[in-house]
Amino acid sequence: QVQLVESGGGSVQAGGSLRISCVASGYGYGYSSNCMGWFRQAPGKEREGVAAIYTGGGRSFYTDSVKGRFTVSLDNAKNTVYLQMNSLKPEDTAMYYCAAAGGGTCFREWALRPGAYNYWGQGTQVTVSS
């Protein structure tokens, strides 16, 4: 049973930084070839893809609104995916979710689509005040 646990959310002022983490368990060898994504959902809005990364090679993708500010990275020895968020804006306020697609590389066509992912964490709240 794959489990994803996020941590590291919190409250920060605009312009600040946060790093959130996602630890995956229950994968066995399958984790080394997997597409991992970060998504966010603000109240009253649809869940949107923020970033994705392939655990087998680090190939990554970002939504336009976070390019240059957010960085997704891996520590495969710890089955952990990170999202470093810099220059945070109030519009970045949301619940952030980690997700796993369940095997194989990421493709640009679907890497930021929630429907492509099979496993989800419970989320960690990020609040940015102005």
Side-chain angles (χ1 to χ4, degrees):
Q1 181 80 14
V2 173
Q3 289 189 323
L4 305 174
V5 179
E6 304 96 335
S7 63
S11 297
V12 64
Q13 289 192 328
S17 298
L18 279 175
R19 188 180 77 162
I20 56 179
S21 304
C22 171
V23 179
S25 61
Y27 256 108
Y29 289 106
Y31 182 79
S32 62
S33 178
N34 196 14
C35 188
M36 301 292 294
W38 282 103
F39 294 80
R40 65 186 180 187
Q41 189 166 18
K45 294 188 177 181
E46 292 186 353
R47 191 168 296 190
E48 66 166 340
V50 175
I53 190 166
Y54 173 50
T55 60
R59 186 183 184 193
S60 59
F61 306 91
Y62 299 90
T63 192
D64 287 346
S65 63
V66 307
K67 285 179 180 177
R69 300 190 298 122
F70 290 12
T71 303
V72 60
S73 62
L74 301 166
D75 184 341
N76 283 350
K78 299 180 180 179
N79 279 17
T80 300
V81 182
Y82 302 98
L83 186 67
Q84 177 68 44
M85 302 180 290
N86 298 328
S87 301
L88 282 161
K89 304 175 181 180
E91 52 263 43
D92 295 317
T93 295
M95 184 72 78
Y96 283 70
Y97 297 92
C98 173
T105 191
C106 304
F107 287 96
R108 183 178 302 277
E109 291 78 7
W110 56 259
L112 298 180
R113 294 179 184 174
Y117 290 77
N118 297 315
Y119 305 102
W120 292 84
Q122 294 299 307
T124 186
Q125 178 68 37
V126 172
T127 302
V128 185
S129 58
S130 57

